[in-house]
Amino acid sequence: IYDGAPTVPLSREPLPNSPTWSALFAPRPPAELTASSLATLLLHSLALSAWKQQGRSRWSLRVNPSSGNLHPTEAYVLAPRIPDLTEGPALHHYSPLLHALERRTPIPGDIWSALTADLPASSLLLGLTSIPWREAWKYGERSFRYCQHDLGHAVAAITYAAALLGWHVHELPALGDDALATLLGLSTP
């Protein structure tokens, strides 16, 4: 959670007319990018799915699996203006605990246009990062491998959730670490 960041709660509406498994990747018209469709994407890919309790211990489970339920993967959403959700293009952190977007910074229109010039209209960019110490305390040297493993689970979950909406997920050409950190607001001065 980013302390002090403006938070935009997302809905938890059930998905109307969800496709059967066999029809999940069949061609169909894509859903419009709206507050509801973005909420659906995140709810069905990266959100909390349940709470468990044993004695006094209580812990959450997420939609996407994670080694040891440690969840080192964090999601950042770079989105255009979405009516009833965002005032303009902006960078957000997705909080699974709150099922909300935490606004990190607005993106000036000219920068958003340059960033998405070669992408289809109404594109949404998701950046996934790992926090290795969440794995390292438990897995030591194997933590890097588990971070990559968990990242793969998150990508797969996002792909399936996007398919529910008739959307397609594409990996963009790799940016350098410094450029990606800057784009996601994670660079340090």
mmCIF file of all heavy atoms in Angstrom, residues 1-2 42 46 62 64 66 70-77 92-97 100 102 104 126-134 147 150-151 154-155 158 184 186:
data_model
loop_
_atom_site.group_PDB
_atom_site.id
_atom_site.type_symbol
_atom_site.label_atom_id
_atom_site.label_comp_id
_atom_site.label_asym_id
_atom_site.label_seq_id
_atom_site.Cartn_x
_atom_site.Cartn_y
_atom_site.Cartn_z
ATOM 1 N N ILE A 1 0.856 -1.176 0.000
ATOM 2 C CA ILE A 1 0.000 0.000 0.000
ATOM 3 C C ILE A 1 0.892 1.226 0.000
ATOM 4 O O ILE A 1 1.840 1.301 0.766
ATOM 5 C CB ILE A 1 -0.948 -0.016 1.217
ATOM 6 C CG1 ILE A 1 -1.967 -1.152 1.045
ATOM 7 C CG2 ILE A 1 -1.621 1.317 1.404
ATOM 8 C CD1 ILE A 1 -2.933 -1.314 2.186
ATOM 9 N N TYR A 2 0.602 2.165 -0.884
ATOM 10 C CA TYR A 2 1.333 3.418 -0.950
ATOM 11 C C TYR A 2 0.648 4.414 -0.030
ATOM 12 O O TYR A 2 -0.448 4.900 -0.323
ATOM 13 C CB TYR A 2 1.373 3.953 -2.383
ATOM 14 C CG TYR A 2 2.406 3.252 -3.229
ATOM 15 C CD1 TYR A 2 2.076 2.158 -4.016
ATOM 16 C CD2 TYR A 2 3.720 3.693 -3.237
ATOM 17 C CE1 TYR A 2 3.033 1.516 -4.783
ATOM 18 C CE2 TYR A 2 4.681 3.058 -4.002
ATOM 19 C CZ TYR A 2 4.329 1.967 -4.771
ATOM 20 O OH TYR A 2 5.284 1.334 -5.527
ATOM 21 N N LEU A 42 -8.690 -7.261 -13.146
ATOM 22 C CA LEU A 42 -7.877 -7.367 -11.943
ATOM 23 C C LEU A 42 -8.483 -8.323 -10.908
ATOM 24 O O LEU A 42 -7.759 -9.059 -10.239
ATOM 25 C CB LEU A 42 -7.650 -5.975 -11.352
ATOM 26 C CG LEU A 42 -6.834 -5.042 -12.261
ATOM 27 C CD1 LEU A 42 -6.838 -3.618 -11.721
ATOM 28 C CD2 LEU A 42 -5.415 -5.558 -12.469
ATOM 29 N N LEU A 46 -5.548 -10.998 -10.223
ATOM 30 C CA LEU A 46 -4.573 -10.644 -9.187
ATOM 31 C C LEU A 46 -5.174 -10.363 -7.811
ATOM 32 O O LEU A 46 -4.443 -10.083 -6.865
ATOM 33 C CB LEU A 46 -3.777 -9.416 -9.648
ATOM 34 C CG LEU A 46 -3.002 -9.581 -10.962
ATOM 35 C CD1 LEU A 46 -2.442 -8.244 -11.414
ATOM 36 C CD2 LEU A 46 -1.914 -10.624 -10.822
ATOM 37 N N ARG A 62 -4.871 -15.587 -2.919
ATOM 38 C CA ARG A 62 -5.112 -14.789 -4.113
ATOM 39 C C ARG A 62 -5.592 -15.668 -5.247
ATOM 40 O O ARG A 62 -5.459 -16.879 -5.225
ATOM 41 C CB ARG A 62 -3.827 -14.074 -4.553
ATOM 42 C CG ARG A 62 -3.420 -12.975 -3.605
ATOM 43 C CD ARG A 62 -2.414 -12.074 -4.253
ATOM 44 N NE ARG A 62 -1.751 -11.235 -3.267
ATOM 45 C CZ ARG A 62 -0.839 -10.347 -3.556
ATOM 46 N NH1 ARG A 62 -0.474 -10.165 -4.806
ATOM 47 N NH2 ARG A 62 -0.270 -9.625 -2.619
ATOM 48 N N ASN A 64 -4.311 -15.775 -8.269
ATOM 49 C CA ASN A 64 -3.158 -16.394 -8.927
ATOM 50 C C ASN A 64 -2.294 -17.092 -7.878
ATOM 51 O O ASN A 64 -2.067 -16.574 -6.797
ATOM 52 C CB ASN A 64 -2.346 -15.357 -9.703
ATOM 53 C CG ASN A 64 -1.804 -14.261 -8.818
ATOM 54 O OD1 ASN A 64 -2.529 -13.684 -8.023
ATOM 55 N ND2 ASN A 64 -0.531 -13.958 -8.951
ATOM 56 N N SER A 66 0.942 -18.736 -5.864
ATOM 57 C CA SER A 66 2.278 -18.254 -5.524
ATOM 58 C C SER A 66 2.984 -19.295 -4.673
ATOM 59 O O SER A 66 2.370 -19.926 -3.820
ATOM 60 C CB SER A 66 2.179 -16.941 -4.746
ATOM 61 O OG SER A 66 3.442 -16.572 -4.233
ATOM 62 N N LEU A 70 3.553 -16.356 -0.873
ATOM 63 C CA LEU A 70 4.315 -15.169 -0.485
ATOM 64 C C LEU A 70 4.093 -13.987 -1.429
ATOM 65 O O LEU A 70 4.375 -12.857 -1.084
ATOM 66 C CB LEU A 70 5.810 -15.510 -0.413
ATOM 67 C CG LEU A 70 6.140 -16.593 0.612
ATOM 68 C CD1 LEU A 70 7.606 -16.985 0.513
ATOM 69 C CD2 LEU A 70 5.796 -16.142 2.017
ATOM 70 N N HIS A 71 3.634 -14.220 -2.618
ATOM 71 C CA HIS A 71 3.237 -13.207 -3.594
ATOM 72 C C HIS A 71 4.215 -12.039 -3.742
ATOM 73 O O HIS A 71 3.923 -10.920 -3.328
ATOM 74 C CB HIS A 71 1.826 -12.688 -3.294
ATOM 75 C CG HIS A 71 0.797 -13.745 -3.500
ATOM 76 N ND1 HIS A 71 0.373 -14.125 -4.746
ATOM 77 C CD2 HIS A 71 0.150 -14.535 -2.617
ATOM 78 C CE1 HIS A 71 -0.510 -15.092 -4.635
ATOM 79 N NE2 HIS A 71 -0.662 -15.367 -3.352
ATOM 80 N N PRO A 72 5.357 -12.306 -4.390
ATOM 81 C CA PRO A 72 6.304 -11.214 -4.622
ATOM 82 C C PRO A 72 5.909 -10.316 -5.794
ATOM 83 O O PRO A 72 6.487 -9.253 -5.973
ATOM 84 C CB PRO A 72 7.603 -11.957 -4.937
ATOM 85 C CG PRO A 72 7.147 -13.211 -5.604
ATOM 86 C CD PRO A 72 5.877 -13.592 -4.865
ATOM 87 N N THR A 73 4.930 -10.735 -6.595
ATOM 88 C CA THR A 73 4.562 -9.987 -7.801
ATOM 89 C C THR A 73 3.621 -8.835 -7.466
ATOM 90 O O THR A 73 2.599 -9.019 -6.806
ATOM 91 C CB THR A 73 3.898 -10.917 -8.835
ATOM 92 O OG1 THR A 73 4.783 -12.019 -9.086
ATOM 93 C CG2 THR A 73 3.619 -10.187 -10.131
ATOM 94 N N GLU A 74 3.975 -7.652 -7.940
ATOM 95 C CA GLU A 74 3.159 -6.449 -7.791
ATOM 96 C C GLU A 74 2.756 -5.975 -9.188
ATOM 97 O O GLU A 74 3.507 -6.158 -10.149
ATOM 98 C CB GLU A 74 3.948 -5.330 -7.108
ATOM 99 C CG GLU A 74 4.317 -5.625 -5.668
ATOM 100 C CD GLU A 74 3.164 -5.451 -4.708
ATOM 101 O OE1 GLU A 74 2.397 -4.475 -4.849
ATOM 102 O OE2 GLU A 74 3.017 -6.298 -3.815
ATOM 103 N N ALA A 75 1.597 -5.373 -9.313
ATOM 104 C CA ALA A 75 1.102 -4.907 -10.614
ATOM 105 C C ALA A 75 0.941 -3.397 -10.621
ATOM 106 O O ALA A 75 0.441 -2.804 -9.661
ATOM 107 C CB ALA A 75 -0.232 -5.570 -10.940
ATOM 108 N N TYR A 76 1.362 -2.806 -11.722
ATOM 109 C CA TYR A 76 1.202 -1.379 -11.980
ATOM 110 C C TYR A 76 0.389 -1.232 -13.251
ATOM 111 O O TYR A 76 0.637 -1.922 -14.234
ATOM 112 C CB TYR A 76 2.566 -0.690 -12.111
ATOM 113 C CG TYR A 76 3.300 -0.693 -10.796
ATOM 114 C CD1 TYR A 76 4.042 -1.793 -10.392
ATOM 115 C CD2 TYR A 76 3.193 0.389 -9.929
ATOM 116 C CE1 TYR A 76 4.682 -1.814 -9.168
ATOM 117 C CE2 TYR A 76 3.828 0.375 -8.700
ATOM 118 C CZ TYR A 76 4.574 -0.732 -8.325
ATOM 119 O OH TYR A 76 5.194 -0.752 -7.111
ATOM 120 N N VAL A 77 -0.591 -0.357 -13.227
ATOM 121 C CA VAL A 77 -1.507 -0.151 -14.342
ATOM 122 C C VAL A 77 -1.251 1.232 -14.920
ATOM 123 O O VAL A 77 -1.355 2.231 -14.210
ATOM 124 C CB VAL A 77 -2.977 -0.265 -13.876
ATOM 125 C CG1 VAL A 77 -3.930 -0.020 -15.028
ATOM 126 C CG2 VAL A 77 -3.233 -1.620 -13.224
ATOM 127 N N HIS A 92 -0.929 3.754 -11.920
ATOM 128 C CA HIS A 92 -1.549 3.298 -10.673
ATOM 129 C C HIS A 92 -0.855 2.035 -10.193
ATOM 130 O O HIS A 92 -0.376 1.235 -10.999
ATOM 131 C CB HIS A 92 -3.032 2.942 -10.884
ATOM 132 C CG HIS A 92 -3.834 4.019 -11.504
ATOM 133 N ND1 HIS A 92 -4.481 4.984 -10.765
ATOM 134 C CD2 HIS A 92 -4.104 4.301 -12.790
ATOM 135 C CE1 HIS A 92 -5.118 5.801 -11.576
ATOM 136 N NE2 HIS A 92 -4.906 5.403 -12.817
ATOM 137 N N HIS A 93 -0.850 1.836 -8.902
ATOM 138 C CA HIS A 93 -0.457 0.559 -8.312
ATOM 139 C C HIS A 93 -1.755 -0.169 -7.991
ATOM 140 O O HIS A 93 -2.704 0.437 -7.493
ATOM 141 C CB HIS A 93 0.351 0.793 -7.029
ATOM 142 C CG HIS A 93 0.639 -0.467 -6.273
ATOM 143 N ND1 HIS A 93 -0.055 -0.824 -5.137
ATOM 144 C CD2 HIS A 93 1.537 -1.449 -6.501
ATOM 145 C CE1 HIS A 93 0.415 -1.978 -4.700
ATOM 146 N NE2 HIS A 93 1.380 -2.389 -5.495
ATOM 147 N N TYR A 94 -1.805 -1.476 -8.278
ATOM 148 C CA TYR A 94 -2.990 -2.252 -7.930
ATOM 149 C C TYR A 94 -2.796 -2.855 -6.538
ATOM 150 O O TYR A 94 -1.813 -3.546 -6.284
ATOM 151 C CB TYR A 94 -3.255 -3.366 -8.943
ATOM 152 C CG TYR A 94 -4.383 -4.268 -8.499
ATOM 153 C CD1 TYR A 94 -5.670 -3.770 -8.360
ATOM 154 C CD2 TYR A 94 -4.157 -5.597 -8.182
ATOM 155 C CE1 TYR A 94 -6.709 -4.577 -7.919
ATOM 156 C CE2 TYR A 94 -5.190 -6.417 -7.748
ATOM 157 C CZ TYR A 94 -6.462 -5.903 -7.623
ATOM 158 O OH TYR A 94 -7.486 -6.700 -7.180
ATOM 159 N N SER A 95 -3.730 -2.589 -5.641
ATOM 160 C CA SER A 95 -3.708 -3.153 -4.297
ATOM 161 C C SER A 95 -4.694 -4.314 -4.215
ATOM 162 O O SER A 95 -5.908 -4.085 -4.200
ATOM 163 C CB SER A 95 -4.091 -2.086 -3.262
ATOM 164 O OG SER A 95 -4.270 -2.703 -1.996
ATOM 165 N N PRO A 96 -4.205 -5.566 -4.171
ATOM 166 C CA PRO A 96 -5.110 -6.703 -4.024
ATOM 167 C C PRO A 96 -5.885 -6.661 -2.706
ATOM 168 O O PRO A 96 -7.036 -7.053 -2.653
ATOM 169 C CB PRO A 96 -4.191 -7.927 -4.062
ATOM 170 C CG PRO A 96 -2.928 -7.452 -4.676
ATOM 171 C CD PRO A 96 -2.811 -5.996 -4.319
ATOM 172 N N LEU A 97 -5.228 -6.175 -1.651
ATOM 173 C CA LEU A 97 -5.891 -6.114 -0.346
ATOM 174 C C LEU A 97 -7.138 -5.240 -0.395
ATOM 175 O O LEU A 97 -8.186 -5.591 0.129
ATOM 176 C CB LEU A 97 -4.920 -5.582 0.714
ATOM 177 C CG LEU A 97 -5.478 -5.459 2.128
ATOM 178 C CD1 LEU A 97 -5.873 -6.822 2.680
ATOM 179 C CD2 LEU A 97 -4.469 -4.779 3.036
ATOM 180 N N ALA A 100 -8.254 -2.111 -5.274
ATOM 181 C CA ALA A 100 -8.328 -0.698 -5.631
ATOM 182 C C ALA A 100 -7.069 -0.291 -6.385
ATOM 183 O O ALA A 100 -6.029 -0.942 -6.292
ATOM 184 C CB ALA A 100 -8.465 0.152 -4.367
ATOM 185 N N GLU A 102 -4.235 2.543 -6.646
ATOM 186 C CA GLU A 102 -3.602 3.610 -5.889
ATOM 187 C C GLU A 102 -2.898 4.501 -6.907
ATOM 188 O O GLU A 102 -1.980 4.057 -7.593
ATOM 189 C CB GLU A 102 -2.584 3.044 -4.900
ATOM 190 C CG GLU A 102 -3.222 2.149 -3.860
ATOM 191 C CD GLU A 102 -2.200 1.440 -3.011
ATOM 192 O OE1 GLU A 102 -1.376 0.693 -3.564
ATOM 193 O OE2 GLU A 102 -2.220 1.658 -1.794
ATOM 194 N N ARG A 104 -0.487 6.795 -8.546
ATOM 195 C CA ARG A 104 0.896 7.167 -8.296
ATOM 196 C C ARG A 104 1.218 8.519 -8.927
ATOM 197 O O ARG A 104 1.794 9.365 -8.307
ATOM 198 C CB ARG A 104 1.840 6.087 -8.840
ATOM 199 C CG ARG A 104 1.605 4.705 -8.246
ATOM 200 C CD ARG A 104 1.977 4.617 -6.785
ATOM 201 N NE ARG A 104 3.421 4.810 -6.675
ATOM 202 C CZ ARG A 104 4.011 5.681 -5.870
ATOM 203 N NH1 ARG A 104 3.307 6.406 -5.048
ATOM 204 N NH2 ARG A 104 5.315 5.808 -5.846
ATOM 205 N N LEU A 126 0.120 -3.027 -18.409
ATOM 206 C CA LEU A 126 0.335 -3.570 -17.071
ATOM 207 C C LEU A 126 1.822 -3.830 -16.910
ATOM 208 O O LEU A 126 2.439 -4.455 -17.772
ATOM 209 C CB LEU A 126 -0.415 -4.896 -16.875
ATOM 210 C CG LEU A 126 -1.920 -4.850 -16.794
ATOM 211 C CD1 LEU A 126 -2.478 -6.259 -16.676
ATOM 212 C CD2 LEU A 126 -2.368 -4.033 -15.606
ATOM 213 N N GLY A 127 2.371 -3.362 -15.835
ATOM 214 C CA GLY A 127 3.760 -3.652 -15.505
ATOM 215 C C GLY A 127 3.789 -4.527 -14.276
ATOM 216 O O GLY A 127 3.120 -4.238 -13.279
ATOM 217 N N LEU A 128 4.526 -5.623 -14.361
ATOM 218 C CA LEU A 128 4.638 -6.535 -13.223
ATOM 219 C C LEU A 128 6.058 -6.475 -12.673
ATOM 220 O O LEU A 128 7.023 -6.492 -13.440
ATOM 221 C CB LEU A 128 4.299 -7.965 -13.645
ATOM 222 C CG LEU A 128 2.895 -8.170 -14.208
ATOM 223 C CD1 LEU A 128 2.708 -9.610 -14.678
ATOM 224 C CD2 LEU A 128 1.835 -7.806 -13.189
ATOM 225 N N THR A 129 6.174 -6.391 -11.366
ATOM 226 C CA THR A 129 7.472 -6.358 -10.711
ATOM 227 C C THR A 129 7.512 -7.440 -9.636
ATOM 228 O O THR A 129 6.480 -8.005 -9.272
ATOM 229 C CB THR A 129 7.722 -4.995 -10.034
ATOM 230 O OG1 THR A 129 6.758 -4.803 -8.997
ATOM 231 C CG2 THR A 129 7.631 -3.853 -11.041
ATOM 232 N N SER A 130 8.708 -7.723 -9.152
ATOM 233 C CA SER A 130 8.873 -8.684 -8.057
ATOM 234 C C SER A 130 9.562 -8.013 -6.885
ATOM 235 O O SER A 130 10.432 -7.166 -7.066
ATOM 236 C CB SER A 130 9.720 -9.884 -8.496
ATOM 237 O OG SER A 130 8.983 -10.743 -9.318
ATOM 238 N N ILE A 131 9.178 -8.433 -5.701
ATOM 239 C CA ILE A 131 9.831 -7.989 -4.472
ATOM 240 C C ILE A 131 10.531 -9.229 -3.897
ATOM 241 O O ILE A 131 9.913 -10.038 -3.196
ATOM 242 C CB ILE A 131 8.806 -7.404 -3.482
ATOM 243 C CG1 ILE A 131 8.082 -6.215 -4.128
ATOM 244 C CG2 ILE A 131 9.492 -7.002 -2.183
ATOM 245 C CD1 ILE A 131 6.992 -5.620 -3.291
ATOM 246 N N PRO A 132 11.809 -9.414 -4.262
ATOM 247 C CA PRO A 132 12.513 -10.664 -3.926
ATOM 248 C C PRO A 132 12.595 -10.989 -2.437
ATOM 249 O O PRO A 132 12.577 -12.163 -2.068
ATOM 250 C CB PRO A 132 13.918 -10.460 -4.507
ATOM 251 C CG PRO A 132 13.753 -9.413 -5.557
ATOM 252 C CD PRO A 132 12.630 -8.535 -5.089
ATOM 253 N N TRP A 133 12.657 -9.981 -1.557
ATOM 254 C CA TRP A 133 12.791 -10.307 -0.141
ATOM 255 C C TRP A 133 11.585 -11.062 0.398
ATOM 256 O O TRP A 133 11.673 -11.744 1.421
ATOM 257 C CB TRP A 133 13.100 -9.074 0.712
ATOM 258 C CG TRP A 133 12.056 -8.004 0.732
ATOM 259 C CD1 TRP A 133 12.080 -6.848 0.022
ATOM 260 C CD2 TRP A 133 10.835 -7.977 1.478
ATOM 261 N NE1 TRP A 133 10.944 -6.100 0.269
ATOM 262 C CE2 TRP A 133 10.162 -6.777 1.170
ATOM 263 C CE3 TRP A 133 10.232 -8.848 2.379
ATOM 264 C CZ2 TRP A 133 8.941 -6.433 1.726
ATOM 265 C CZ3 TRP A 133 9.007 -8.502 2.929
ATOM 266 C CH2 TRP A 133 8.378 -7.301 2.603
ATOM 267 N N ARG A 134 10.410 -10.934 -0.285
ATOM 268 C CA ARG A 134 9.239 -11.702 0.163
ATOM 269 C C ARG A 134 9.495 -13.201 0.036
ATOM 270 O O ARG A 134 8.887 -14.001 0.742
ATOM 271 C CB ARG A 134 8.000 -11.321 -0.644
ATOM 272 C CG ARG A 134 7.458 -9.960 -0.322
ATOM 273 C CD ARG A 134 6.154 -9.733 -1.049
ATOM 274 N NE ARG A 134 5.682 -8.373 -0.858
ATOM 275 C CZ ARG A 134 4.719 -7.828 -1.576
ATOM 276 N NH1 ARG A 134 4.108 -8.532 -2.536
ATOM 277 N NH2 ARG A 134 4.341 -6.591 -1.364
ATOM 278 N N CYS A 147 10.509 -16.156 -7.707
ATOM 279 C CA CYS A 147 9.951 -14.889 -8.204
ATOM 280 C C CYS A 147 9.554 -15.029 -9.671
ATOM 281 O O CYS A 147 8.487 -14.568 -10.083
ATOM 282 C CB CYS A 147 10.957 -13.754 -8.041
ATOM 283 S SG CYS A 147 11.138 -13.175 -6.342
ATOM 284 N N ASP A 150 6.425 -17.256 -9.929
ATOM 285 C CA ASP A 150 5.217 -16.518 -9.556
ATOM 286 C C ASP A 150 4.826 -15.497 -10.616
ATOM 287 O O ASP A 150 3.640 -15.268 -10.863
ATOM 288 C CB ASP A 150 5.400 -15.838 -8.207
ATOM 289 C CG ASP A 150 5.386 -16.828 -7.055
ATOM 290 O OD1 ASP A 150 5.248 -18.037 -7.297
ATOM 291 O OD2 ASP A 150 5.497 -16.380 -5.896
ATOM 292 N N LEU A 151 5.820 -14.892 -11.250
ATOM 293 C CA LEU A 151 5.542 -13.957 -12.349
ATOM 294 C C LEU A 151 4.819 -14.680 -13.480
ATOM 295 O O LEU A 151 3.858 -14.164 -14.051
ATOM 296 C CB LEU A 151 6.836 -13.324 -12.846
ATOM 297 C CG LEU A 151 6.699 -12.326 -13.983
ATOM 298 C CD1 LEU A 151 5.876 -11.121 -13.554
ATOM 299 C CD2 LEU A 151 8.077 -11.886 -14.453
ATOM 300 N N ALA A 154 1.226 -15.081 -12.601
ATOM 301 C CA ALA A 154 0.492 -13.820 -12.747
ATOM 302 C C ALA A 154 0.194 -13.536 -14.216
ATOM 303 O O ALA A 154 -0.923 -13.128 -14.552
ATOM 304 C CB ALA A 154 1.278 -12.675 -12.116
ATOM 305 N N VAL A 155 1.163 -13.751 -15.085
ATOM 306 C CA VAL A 155 0.951 -13.515 -16.521
ATOM 307 C C VAL A 155 -0.155 -14.434 -17.040
ATOM 308 O O VAL A 155 -1.036 -14.000 -17.794
ATOM 309 C CB VAL A 155 2.262 -13.702 -17.317
ATOM 310 C CG1 VAL A 155 1.995 -13.730 -18.820
ATOM 311 C CG2 VAL A 155 3.260 -12.604 -16.963
ATOM 312 N N ILE A 158 -3.552 -13.208 -15.781
ATOM 313 C CA ILE A 158 -3.959 -12.014 -16.527
ATOM 314 C C ILE A 158 -4.442 -12.398 -17.921
ATOM 315 O O ILE A 158 -5.438 -11.865 -18.412
ATOM 316 C CB ILE A 158 -2.805 -10.993 -16.588
ATOM 317 C CG1 ILE A 158 -2.552 -10.407 -15.201
ATOM 318 C CG2 ILE A 158 -3.088 -9.893 -17.601
ATOM 319 C CD1 ILE A 158 -1.223 -9.679 -15.063
ATOM 320 N N LEU A 184 7.486 2.910 -14.345
ATOM 321 C CA LEU A 184 6.614 2.422 -13.266
ATOM 322 C C LEU A 184 6.755 3.214 -11.974
ATOM 323 O O LEU A 184 6.163 2.869 -10.956
ATOM 324 C CB LEU A 184 6.859 0.928 -13.004
ATOM 325 C CG LEU A 184 6.592 0.006 -14.186
ATOM 326 C CD1 LEU A 184 6.899 -1.439 -13.804
ATOM 327 C CD2 LEU A 184 5.180 0.145 -14.709
ATOM 328 N N LEU A 186 9.418 3.584 -10.108
ATOM 329 C CA LEU A 186 10.185 2.857 -9.104
ATOM 330 C C LEU A 186 11.658 3.234 -9.057
ATOM 331 O O LEU A 186 12.412 2.673 -8.271
ATOM 332 C CB LEU A 186 10.082 1.344 -9.372
ATOM 333 C CG LEU A 186 8.659 0.791 -9.374
ATOM 334 C CD1 LEU A 186 8.643 -0.654 -9.837
ATOM 335 C CD2 LEU A 186 8.037 0.923 -7.999
#
